[in-house]
Amino acid sequence: MSVLPLVFTSGWASGINAYAVVLLLGLFGAAGLTDEVPGSLQRTDVLVAAGVLFLLEAVADKIPYVDSAWDAAHTVVRPVSGAVVAALLAGGSGSLPELAAGAVGGSTALLSHLVKAGTRMAVNTSPEPFSNIGVSLAEDLGVAGIVTLAVFNPVASAVVAGVLLVLGLVVLAFMASRIRRFLRRRARRREEGRPAGAGGHRPRG
């Protein structure tokens, strides 16, 4: 059977939480629940590293503004992780060229990452932290559910991931004004944090 649905789903999930994808797939493979996960993702050192990084993300992802900084730092990490995981899955099955799988996983991860990062910018226009916590928990549960479904029914999980990706892009377009407001607020904070005389205007005296 083609591994493409699993590749697409893992790419979408990697754009939301790459460490959770590596951790869950590795654990499912190690437990013998699927033969699609390559041994490199089941290694103890990989699982430990993914677990530690997942815990760090679980904390950072729920703090206003820290979550957006974390997302910015992972703009490259998540798509690369999605591409690597996809290539490994394809290499283990032999039903899809690794380069093609990497392109699908990486591009899908990039799109879902942009949806996640943009959504967080919009949420951060609200001063209270509860929105961030709620959105982060929904993302964590969503990734866990989608990856679990992908192990047992990859086609169904790919359909769900595809629908969520399209809906996310549509919502992101509607929230464009709130995202611009967040960017303006962050730029203003940077300006306020500059020492006197650091900008383009110098005090006269």
Side-chain angles (χ1 to χ4, degrees):
M1 185 178 70
S2 173
V3 76
L4 181 58
L6 181 58
V7 163
F8 179 82
T9 303
S10 66
W12 175 86
S14 293
I16 307 297
N17 193 324
Y19 306 124
V21 173
V22 173
L23 179 62
L24 288 171
L25 286 178
L27 289 175
F28 282 132
L33 297 176
T34 176
D35 297 326
E36 300 287 352
V37 179
S40 55
L41 293 179
Q42 302 177 36
R43 289 169 37 185
T44 301
D45 56 337
V46 172
L47 293 176
V48 170
V52 171
L53 291 169
F54 169 74
L55 291 176
L56 289 175
E57 174 147 340
V59 175
D61 205 43
K62 294 173 178 60
I63 304 174
Y65 295 99
V66 173
D67 59 348
S68 289
W70 184 271
D71 286 338
H74 283 73
T75 300
V76 174
V77 174
R78 287 170 182 157
V80 169
S81 178
V84 170
V85 169
L88 289 173
L89 291 171
S93 71
S95 62
L96 182 70
E98 294 179 32
L99 185 60
V104 171
S107 58
T108 306
L110 177 60
L111 288 175
S112 62
H113 164 76
L114 293 176
V115 170
K116 173 187 171 75
T119 301
R120 289 312 181 85
M121 289 181 186
V123 170
N124 279 331
T125 60
S126 175
E128 45 80 26
F130 302 107
S131 299
N132 297 75
I133 295 174
V135 171
S136 179
L137 287 174
E139 290 172 349
D140 292 342
L141 293 174
V143 168
I146 288 293
V147 173
T148 301
L149 179 61
V151 170
F152 298 102
N153 195 330
V155 174
S157 69
V159 171
V160 174
V163 170
L164 290 176
L165 181 59
V166 171
L167 288 177
L169 291 171
V170 171
V171 171
L172 191 62
F174 278 106
M175 293 192 302
S177 61
R178 297 192 69 176
I179 294 172
R180 287 194 293 269
R181 193 185 316 159
F182 169 84
L183 293 174
R184 286 196 297 268
R185 181 181 298 176
R186 187 168 64 176
R188 188 164 55 248
R189 288 188 175 188
R190 288 178 179 174
E191 289 292 332
E192 292 172 351
R194 288 184 181 181
H201 300 284
R202 295 184 178 180
R204 298 178 180 178

